Amino acid sequence: MADECILRFENVSMHFDGDDAPALDRVSFNLMAGETIVLFGAAGAGKTVLLKLAVGLLRPVSGRILLFGRDVTELREQEWYAMRARAGILFQEGGLFDSMTIEENVSYPMLNQKLVEIAPEEVHRRVEEVLQFVGLPQTMDKFPSELSGGMRRRVGIARATVTHPKLLMYDSPTAGLDPITANRIIALLIKERELRNTASMIVTHRFQDGHMLATFRYNPQTDKVLEASPEQREKLHTRFFVMKDGRLVFEGTEEELDKSTDPYISKFTMQRV
Amino acid sequence: MFDFLKPPVLSFQEYLALAGRATQNVVRRPFYGQDVLLQMDTIGVGSIPITILIGFFSGAVMALQMSRALAQYGASGEVGKITAITLVRELGPVLTALLVAGRNASGIASELGSMKVTEQIDAMRALGTDPIKKLVTPRLIALCIMLPLLTVLADFIGLFGGYMVGVPLLRLTTGAQYWMSSYQSLEFNDLGQGLLKPFVFAYIIASVGCFFGMRTTGGTQGVGRATTQAVVVASVWIFVIDIVMTRIFLWIAT
């Protein structure tokens, strides 16, 4: 793992007007290059707020956020557009543009981000390549409404990764999906993480997702995701966070998470099958 | 004590901020020409059939109403003049604007509202695009171009409606006299307000529709609420601005 800090939160708090409790309460952490953070938490714990703060879709009320080494806490919206070109995000509902075809959706960041300079003839090839990567090469001309939930999520991953960002954030990529599709999506995240050495942050409710991210690795020779040996697991650099009521209440490895006796934290490990 | 005033004042402030940024974007890169053309087609060309229909009947009913009043003074021949002045100054701009507000302020608010509640606006921001530049400004430009043109069309079709009632149906005057008196009665002041009013109304319809769309919350129910609010607020503002502009043009004319 490189020493480059991709994302840094320093005592970040967030409060929405009309709410009594803060949505995020003095949260601090570092996300290093090549590292994976798996974020657990009950609904309303502040996971999505944390992701949105990281890419400037929300502004914190206090604290400091550093993205790629730059203080982005007070960044103007216009300046954010360039910063966001280096970060990909998958939204909870996919966030696909429903009036655009899958090809238009996936090519959107390449055609609209200022910092991304890709020749127009190259765009189509890149879309084909990334849709092949997520296993949906036949969907180019379809609209999002014609695809299943799992397929839409995979298109969302394709769109988030098409410009090869150094930071990828996934908001509940497996929520509401059957176990087979969910495992397929996590396998894609593992593949993307290892092929491009991206820093990733994954919000999920399923312990299995975190377990897979911490213990499986991609084998480029066989193009399959396989269980890693104990030595290889250390190189996967996967950490687990648990959030409760806007606070980060746990930070550690899968083993430490397993050993936790806190009733709230252990609820997430009890889902293990 | 005046806490009840805070939400509307805050909303108005947010509206001004959105409208201001959308207006600034007209001269800022990148320009989304394709989106402007698409909106001109959807908003403008799509509104032509209903504009023709409303224009024709408003001109016809105006001539019908005036026929009786003018006959009392023995001035039935002036029906073209009355119809032209009423249509070009007031009925054309206001009726067309109300029609377009009903059809397009609702359409804009529901489209942007749906995008907001399904995180498409956030996705757009996250993908490095300014949603105001990409979504609001093209609609603003498209409406400001298309509404004056639709108003001109409504005016002309309205005059034709008046002609159909005044000449072949009621035989109040001759065709030549109808068109001549219509043409001669109009001054630059009338044409000025007849074209400037729809331009301002277009700005109101687009900005209000986008404003309510972009601040939608609360799922599909919220989209419905935003749509209704957009039409009501845009319609009210059309009448308010109309009286202000009419007063200004009357003051200029005197």
Side-chain angles (χ1 to χ4, degrees):
Chain A
M1 183 174 65
D3 285 340
E4 187 191 356
C5 182
I6 300 291
L7 177 66
R8 182 180 173 88
F9 270 47
E10 291 176 4
N11 280 315
V12 175
S13 294
M14 177 67 197
H15 196 280
F16 290 108
D17 289 343
D19 286 359
D20 295 332
L24 216 63
D25 191 5
R26 289 161 292 163
V27 170
S28 300
F29 68 89
N30 287 336
L31 173 64
M32 311 304 281
E35 192 182 21
T36 303
I37 290 178
V38 179
L39 186 56
F40 291 124
K47 308 179 298 292
T48 302
V49 171
L50 189 146
L51 293 195
K52 287 189 173 179
L53 281 165
V55 287
L57 298 178
L58 294 173
R59 201 177 278 265
V61 289
S62 65
R64 213 158 75 105
I65 300 170
L66 285 96
L67 186 62
F68 303 112
R70 184 178 173 186
D71 188 344
V72 292
T73 322
E74 297 295 326
L75 215 60
R76 286 170 51 237
E77 181 72 10
Q78 298 299 324
E79 293 171 299
W80 260 112
Y81 295 127
M83 290 300 286
R84 288 177 191 140
R86 298 167 71 191
I89 182 164
L90 172 74
F91 287 89
Q92 214 161 0
E93 302 296 329
L96 297 179
F97 304 126
D98 51 17
S99 56
M100 292 184 190
T101 62
I102 299 305
E103 181 175 10
E104 288 167 337
N105 261 289
V106 178
S107 60
Y108 190 91
M110 291 188 280
L111 300 171
N112 288 282
Q113 283 177 353
K114 274 185 190 171
L115 285 189
V116 179
E117 285 178 7
I118 298 170
E121 60 275 13
E122 173 75 0
V123 170
H124 181 74
R125 195 194 62 74
R126 285 276 283 271
V127 174
E128 277 183 331
E129 185 186 284
V130 77
L131 284 176
Q132 187 75 44
F133 179 81
V134 297
L136 294 169
Q138 74 288 2
T139 56
M140 291 271 253
D141 300 323
K142 288 191 162 48
F143 283 91
S145 57
E146 297 174 75
L147 306 183
S148 68
M151 287 163 110
R152 279 204 291 273
R153 225 61 74 82
R154 276 147 69 194
V155 173
I157 293 171
R159 189 176 68 178
T161 57
V162 71
T163 53
H164 307 322
K166 290 175 85 177
L167 168 65
L168 277 165
M169 286 177 289
Y170 306 94
D171 193 356
S172 309
T174 58
L177 299 179
D178 61 90
I180 297 166
T181 314
N183 286 349
R184 191 170 185 181
I185 283 176
I186 295 299
L188 276 175
L189 308 196
I190 292 170
K191 192 172 160 185
E192 172 65 27
R193 159 182 88 176
E194 292 189 32
L195 283 177
R196 310 210 189 281
N197 194 37
T198 45
S200 322
M201 196 158 194
I202 295 119
V203 166
T204 181
H205 295 101
R206 287 176 12 119
F207 181 78
Q208 296 95 310
D209 294 349
H211 175 70
M212 213 172 148
L213 283 157
T215 56
F216 279 65
R217 66 173 311 164
Y218 174 67
N219 185 334
Q221 275 82 42
T222 57
D223 191 29
K224 282 196 173 126
V225 171
L226 303 165
E227 193 154 11
S229 63
E231 301 81 55
Q232 286 175 324
R233 285 181 193 185
E234 279 180 30
K235 292 177 191 164
L236 297 177
H237 305 294
T238 305
R239 278 191 294 152
F240 289 77
F241 286 4
V242 180
M243 287 190 77
K244 184 186 181 187
D245 301 332
R247 282 177 301 116
L248 214 52
V249 292
F250 174 86
E251 186 179 342
T253 62
E254 186 187 7
E255 206 178 4
E256 288 164 337
L257 183 73
D258 250 346
K259 284 180 185 160
S260 174
T261 51
D262 182 286
Y264 178 78
I265 295 168
S266 54
K267 271 180 192 154
F268 294 98
T269 54
M270 277 158 69
Q271 308 166 46
R272 185 193 288 274
V273 283
Chain B
M1 184 182 170
F2 293 108
D3 277 1
F4 69 96
L5 282 175
K6 274 185 187 170
V9 169
L10 186 66
S11 291
F12 189 63
Q13 187 185 324
E14 286 171 356
Y15 165 77
L16 290 180
L18 178 87
R21 277 183 62 193
T23 311
Q24 282 178 344
N25 287 339
V26 173
V27 290
R28 277 188 186 161
R29 286 177 182 278
F31 303 116
Y32 295 103
Q34 284 282 350
D35 294 275
V36 174
L37 287 176
L38 182 73
Q39 292 304 323
M40 282 170 74
D41 182 46
T42 313
I43 294 168
V45 180
S47 300
I48 287 176
I50 191 84
T51 304
I52 289 174
L53 208 66
I54 296 291
F56 180 86
F57 285 109
S58 59
V61 82
M62 179 54 57
L64 210 55
Q65 288 282 10
M66 285 299 145
S67 63
R68 202 170 137 202
L70 290 171
Q72 287 178 344
Y73 301 100
S76 298
E78 301 290 326
V79 66
K81 187 178 178 177
I82 297 285
T83 310
I85 290 173
T86 326
L87 273 177
V88 172
R89 278 190 196 166
E90 280 302 325
L91 281 185
V94 173
L95 281 182
T96 313
L98 287 175
L99 190 83
V100 171
R103 184 179 181 273
N104 296 304
S106 56
I108 291 169
S110 62
E111 189 182 349
L112 300 195
S114 302
M115 288 183 78
K116 179 82 193 306
V117 298
T118 54
E119 292 184 313
Q120 291 179 55
I121 304 269
D122 272 348
M124 199 168 264
R125 288 173 66 204
L127 292 168
T129 318
D130 180 354
I132 297 179
K133 203 171 272 185
K134 175 85 177 162
L135 300 171
V136 181
T137 306
R139 283 163 174 80
L140 201 67
I141 296 171
L143 254 171
C144 286
I145 294 171
M146 295 312 283
L147 191 58
L149 296 178
L150 286 170
T151 305
V152 170
L153 181 70
D155 289 346
F156 179 74
I157 299 291
L159 277 172
F160 179 71
Y163 165 82
M164 292 301 284
V165 168
V167 183
L169 191 70
L170 300 179
R171 299 183 190 284
L172 299 174
T173 179
T174 62
Q177 196 188 357
Y178 177 88
W179 290 112
M180 186 58 78
S181 67
S182 303
Y183 173 73
Q184 285 179 339
S185 63
L186 294 173
E187 295 171 6
F188 279 112
N189 184 292
D190 302 320
L191 297 177
Q193 62 176 306
L195 289 174
L196 197 63
K197 275 181 181 176
F199 183 81
V200 178
F201 295 161
Y203 189 90
I204 292 169
I205 295 166
S207 55
V208 167
C210 290
F211 172 69
F212 281 105
M214 297 286 273
R215 75 200 297 252
T216 305
T217 50
T220 45
Q221 206 176 17
V223 175
R225 201 166 40 240
T227 307
T228 313
Q229 283 176 322
V231 176
V232 171
V233 172
S235 304
V236 169
W237 274 104
I238 284 168
F239 281 112
V240 173
I241 298 297
D242 182 47
I243 198 162
V244 173
M245 288 185 77
T246 305
R247 185 70 198 94
I248 292 169
F249 274 98
L250 285 175
W251 175 72
I252 292 170
T254 52

